[in-house]
Amino acid sequence: IYSFIWNDFCDWYIELIKNRLYSDNLEVKTAVLVRALSLFEDMLKILHPVMPFITEEIWQLLKSRKSGESISITRMPELNESLIDLSAEEEMDFIQNVVTAVRNIRGEMNIPPSKKINLFIKSDKVKESQINYIKSLGRVEEFNYSNDLQKPKASASSVVKDAEIYIPLEGLIDISVERERLEKEINRLSGMLTGVEKKLSNEKFVNNAPADVVEKEKQKKENWQSSIEKLKSILSDLS
C-alpha cells in the first residue's frame, strides 16, 4: 500500500497529470481533478484498516458528508480485471525507465534542474503518446528518437530495457572542469581502495579482527570498486 500510494500515485501519477491539471480548459482540468480525488478516496479506504484515524479525518474533509457517515462503513474498492491493460502498463514502464535514467544522468553530471536538455533515444519502442510525458518529466527541450541513432559526441549515456539513452553535454556543463573533478574523485577512491585491500591481504587482521569488522572492510572494498567503475564509465562518456 505504501509503495502504491507514495511511488505510483505521488511520484508518478500526480506528476503526469500536472500539465492537464494546470490547463486553461476547465473541462479537462475538472475531469483530471475528479479522477485524481476518486483514486485518492479509494486509497484512503484501502489504508483505513491500518491507519483508521487519519484516513477518517482526511476522508471527511474531501467533500461534505452526511451526519453519521464514516469511511469505516463504505464499500471497499473492488477488482475489475477488464480495466487491466498490460500494453498500457508496458508503455508506462518505458516512460518511467527513461525518465529515471535521465534524472540519474542529471545527478551524476551535476546538470542543474533548471537547465533543459536535448535527449536522443535509440529505440523503436517510442510512441507519440509518450513524448510529452518524457519531455515534461525529464525537462527535455529537443527529443530525437530512431532505431539507428548514433551516439552524439561528448554525451552521457544509459541503457534501459528496449532503449539506449544519450544526452549531449556541451553547453550544459564545463566538460574540462567535470573531467578534472571525476579524475580527482577516481584517484581519491583508488587510494582508499588500495588501503582496504592491504588491510584485507593482512592475514593477521583477517584472522584476529571481529567478523563484523572484516565484513565491513569487504563491503567498503566492493562499494569503492563499484564507484570507481561507474566514475570511469562517466569519464569515458565525456571524451
Side-chain angles (χ1 to χ4, degrees), residues 203-230:
E203 290 186 13
K204 187 175 180 180
F205 167 77
V206 174
N207 293 331
N208 296 326
D212 62 322
V213 172
V214 176
E215 186 58 35
K216 284 181 181 178
E217 294 301 310
K218 289 180 179 179
Q219 191 61 53
K220 285 181 186 178
K221 178 183 176 181
E222 289 181 14
N223 291 341
W224 289 337
Q225 284 176 328
S226 176
S227 296
I228 290 169
E229 289 173 10
K230 181 65 176 175

Side-chain angles (χ1 to χ4, degrees), residues 17-207:
I17 66 172
K18 277 184 178 178
N19 283 345
R20 285 176 291 161
L21 196 57
Y22 299 143
S23 168
D24 293 329
N25 187 319
L26 184 59
E27 185 177 347
V28 170
K29 183 187 294 188
T30 301
V32 170
L33 188 57
V34 168
R35 185 179 295 113
L37 287 172
S38 176
L39 286 168
F40 184 59
E41 187 167 356
D42 280 346
M43 286 186 284
L44 289 176
K45 293 177 184 179
I46 295 170
L47 190 59
H48 180 67
V50 289
M51 293 183 67
F53 301 108
I54 188 65
T55 51
E56 178 76 55
E57 181 72 11
I58 296 172
W59 184 83
Q60 293 286 351
L61 293 171
L62 282 180
K63 61 183 179 183
S64 297
R65 307 290 182 184
K66 296 178 182 178
S67 177
E69 275 193 292
S70 169
I71 190 174
S72 63
I73 53 174
T74 57
R75 289 182 64 84
M76 285 289 255
E78 295 180 8
L79 174 64
N80 183 347
E81 294 190 0
S82 68
L83 296 177
I84 296 174
D85 187 337
L86 295 179
S87 63
E89 289 187 20
E90 288 180 4
E91 288 185 34
M92 189 62 224
D93 281 342
F94 184 80
I95 292 173
Q96 290 176 308
N97 290 337
V98 169
V99 171
T100 299
V102 168
R103 289 174 174 174
N104 287 342
I105 290 173
R106 278 182 171 278
E108 290 167 354
M109 294 297 182
N110 295 316
I111 301 172
S114 59
K115 281 194 175 183
K116 288 200 169 186
I117 61 168
N118 293 333
L119 178 64
F120 293 77
I121 296 183
K122 184 177 182 180
S123 174
D124 59 1
K125 300 295 183 181
V126 181
K127 296 187 177 181
E128 290 294 322
S129 59
Q130 298 169 321
I131 293 175
N132 285 336
Y133 292 124
I134 293 173
K135 290 181 73 172
S136 173
L137 295 178
R139 293 197 55 76
V140 175
E141 187 165 29
E142 182 182 329
F143 189 176
N144 300 278
Y145 64 95
S146 169
N147 203 34
D148 55 3
L149 269 177
Q150 297 299 312
K151 180 181 178 181
K153 182 182 177 183
S155 292
S157 62
S158 184
V159 177
V160 298
K161 183 182 178 183
D162 299 323
E164 294 178 30
I165 296 169
Y166 307 120
I167 299 177
L169 298 171
E170 286 193 62
L172 291 175
I173 61 173
D174 188 320
I175 293 177
S176 61
V177 170
E178 183 63 14
R179 187 183 291 116
E180 183 179 345
R181 184 190 72 82
L182 289 169
E183 288 172 345
K184 285 183 179 178
E185 183 63 7
I186 290 170
N187 288 335
R188 184 183 75 85
L189 290 176
S190 295
M192 294 166 68
L193 178 61
T194 298
V196 78
E197 284 177 336
K198 285 182 179 178
K199 188 179 288 187
L200 289 172
S201 65
N202 184 332
E203 290 186 13
K204 187 175 180 180
F205 167 77
V206 174
N207 293 331

